[in-house]
Amino acid sequence: MVEYETIIGLEVHVQLKTESKLFCGCSTEFGAAPNTHACPVCTGMPGVLPVVNKRAIEYAIRSALALNCEVASRSIFARKNYFYPDLPKNYQISQYEEPLAQNGYLEIRTDSGRKRVGITRINLEEDAGKLLHDIGSREIDGSLVDFNRCGVPLLEIVSSPDIKSPEEAYAYLITLKSILRYLDVSDCDMEKGSLRCDANVSMRLVGQKELGVKAEVKNMNSFKAIQKALGHEVKRQVNALESGERIVQETRLWDERNERTYPMRSKEEAHDYRYFPEPDLVPLVVDEGWIEEIRKTIPELPDRRRERFIREYRLSEYDAGVLTAEKGLANYFEEVVKLHGNPKAVTNWVTVELLGRLNAVNREVKESPVSPGQLAELLKLIEKGTVSGKIAKTVFEEMFNTGKNPQAIVKEKKLVQITDEKEIGEIVEEVLKENPRAIEEYRKGKEKALGHLVGQVMKKTQAKANPQLVNRILKEKLARTI
């Protein structure tokens, strides 16, 4: 059997979170009515001149530094020429020969350990418009174009061909997204088109140095879709090579429904775009002092925060990874710990109860109806014995649905835990009289019988009885009957 090695390179386009476009003052707001955020500059009318958005440059530099890149003191914008209905100027302002940043890397976690993936270049460019096809509901047989997205600032991040599997590609994208969101330079929302990824895939014989012929895969709308598309493309190319076919350099589209790629067009080379320096923009010169100022604004990034959570809060690798994947969640966790003081208890409630409910309604932690202070208050009620752990889950659900404070819910629904031994003892006596068979099984050494009896007591008290007291009192009374 001939062994092949997979080579993957990813081109990620990230929309920067600026209020205005890259070369004009039009809004970057998502979801506005078609062609309401367009002007003569972003639609390329004669006589207009572009002006660079300083905030976009700042976000690009911040991203480059966080991704361990060398930021160029001088970079040049270029015209990338191609003809398409959503590109009104018939060229896109991008960067080519002298990009903003180069020679970076990103560390990912794989099943075999940590791996460094190189980042070849990071450059700024403007986005194109958006085509809407076959809108039957409007009785239009054809396509419409919306220029709102024209000129929106994009960061193009190009990886080196260091990725060797679809799983590594997925890990790279998850890590990259987490870093960019920590930096607060983009929301990275694929549904809104804020993050898009094209993948270059090629195969070569194991031990061969020269890269194989690549196919570019597009039209993937989630990280899982990217992973599946790459898996299919790898199999397709291997099967073709083993059958003696020649791989053609082309762009292929991912068909989500049928889970396969299919040809779109032959793949363009750089010279096909006839790049040349943008004559209406001077070279971008970045002062070293400004770079250092931006470096100071970079927050503690996910990897370092994960390591600190493991060290400082004694969390497992898994829990620390879940809590630090999103900056907002990590901040929420630390705020609750500050107010309550028990990291392990906080971890369980944040990762299971809070995240479970947020995911069920497709919300982020910043939209949580339960504040860190409210969760800390609930944990204190458990600690004091005011409510049991089971009742606390009922209280939390009400907090999540209504936004009310836990003490108010406990008082309103009369959920205070029963800790009176005499009261619990009387209920235990009732349960024992009603369950002679369970007593007999317990005498025979069947521990499950005790669990049944505890359950009956909890049922009679609507789960308000202190479970520890119930267990102790039951065992004491059962011991007298043996």
Side-chain angles (χ1 to χ4, degrees), residues 7-12 64 67-72 95-106 116-123 156-163 172 176 200 211 214:
I7 304 294
I8 297 171
L10 299 178
E11 297 175 9
V12 177
L67 296 171
N68 308 292
C69 290
E70 301 166 6
V71 178
Q95 292 183 315
Y96 177 55
E97 289 181 334
E98 296 185 48
L100 182 69
Q102 298 182 82
N103 305 324
Y105 65 87
L106 178 63
R116 183 174 289 190
V117 177
I119 292 174
T120 304
R121 55 188 282 131
I122 294 179
N123 57 268
E156 183 180 28
I157 302 169
V158 182
S159 82
S160 303
D162 297 334
I163 299 168
Y172 172 90
L176 179 61
N200 292 303
L211 293 174
K214 66 183 178 183

Side-chain angles (χ1 to χ4, degrees), residues 4 203 213 232-248 250 252:
Y4 291 98
M203 308 303 296
V213 177
H232 172 272
E233 185 58 21
V234 167
K235 287 179 184 175
R236 184 192 73 82
Q237 291 193 24
V238 169
N239 290 339
L241 290 168
E242 288 182 343
S243 301
E245 293 178 34
R246 186 172 63 89
I247 302 296
V248 178
E250 62 185 351
R252 299 178 69 88

Side-chain angles (χ1 to χ4, degrees), residues 179-379:
I179 289 171
L180 294 172
R181 284 174 63 92
Y182 261 74
L183 296 173
D184 201 29
V185 298
S186 175
D187 60 22
C188 297
D189 189 334
M190 291 191 81
E191 288 186 8
K192 295 179 180 177
S194 301
L195 188 150
R196 285 164 263 158
C197 177
D198 299 333
N200 292 303
V201 188
S202 65
M203 308 303 296
R204 69 181 175 191
L205 294 172
V206 171
Q208 183 179 313
K209 290 185 178 180
E210 186 181 344
L211 293 174
V213 177
K214 66 183 178 183
E216 182 183 40
V217 185
K218 291 177 174 282
N219 195 39
M220 300 161 292
N221 59 12
S222 71
F223 290 170
K224 283 295 183 185
I226 293 168
Q227 186 176 348
K228 284 198 285 187
L230 291 173
H232 172 272
E233 185 58 21
V234 167
K235 287 179 184 175
R236 184 192 73 82
Q237 291 193 24
V238 169
N239 290 339
L241 290 168
E242 288 182 343
S243 301
E245 293 178 34
R246 186 172 63 89
I247 302 296
V248 178
Q249 183 161 313
E250 62 185 351
T251 297
R252 299 178 69 88
L253 295 181
W254 170 242
D255 181 347
E256 182 72 40
R257 180 179 295 176
N258 297 305
E259 296 194 349
R260 67 179 186 87
T261 64
Y262 61 91
M264 178 190 179
R265 61 172 182 260
S266 61
K267 174 71 178 128
E268 302 89 345
E269 299 283 2
H271 62 255
D272 293 326
Y273 292 116
R274 296 182 294 114
Y275 283 99
F276 63 85
E278 168 58 63
D280 291 334
L281 288 167
V282 297
L284 179 61
V285 177
V286 180
D287 179 72
E288 186 64 35
W290 191 35
I291 294 175
E292 290 310 309
E293 280 179 30
I294 295 171
R295 194 188 299 276
K296 291 173 186 175
T297 69
I298 296 175
E300 182 183 35
L301 295 176
D303 234 22
R304 187 167 291 181
R305 202 168 194 181
R306 182 193 297 111
E307 290 168 6
R308 179 169 66 80
F309 275 26
I310 293 169
R311 184 179 65 253
E312 190 173 318
Y313 300 123
R314 301 187 180 280
L315 301 183
S316 69
E317 183 92 21
Y318 175 79
D319 284 341
V322 171
L323 289 168
T324 57
E326 288 288 341
K327 184 179 178 182
L329 186 64
N331 289 347
Y332 186 102
F333 167 79
E334 292 213 271
E335 187 63 30
V336 181
V337 170
K338 193 187 298 180
L339 296 168
H340 180 252
N342 185 335
K344 186 59 184 170
V346 175
T347 299
N348 291 337
W349 279 85
V350 170
T351 58
V352 179
E353 301 301 327
L354 179 67
L355 266 188
R357 283 173 173 78
L358 287 173
N359 290 338
V361 294
N362 198 27
R363 287 191 200 170
E364 294 185 17
V365 72
K366 65 182 178 183
E367 302 169 288
S368 170
V370 180
S371 70
Q374 288 174 317
L375 179 53
E377 190 180 326
L378 177 62
L379 295 178

Side-chain angles (χ1 to χ4, degrees), residues 427-443:
I427 297 166
V428 166
E429 289 287 356
E430 286 178 29
V431 168
L432 290 174
K433 285 176 186 176
E434 294 166 3
N435 293 271
R437 187 176 173 183
I439 296 170
E440 190 62 36
E441 288 181 351
Y442 182 76
R443 284 174 180 166

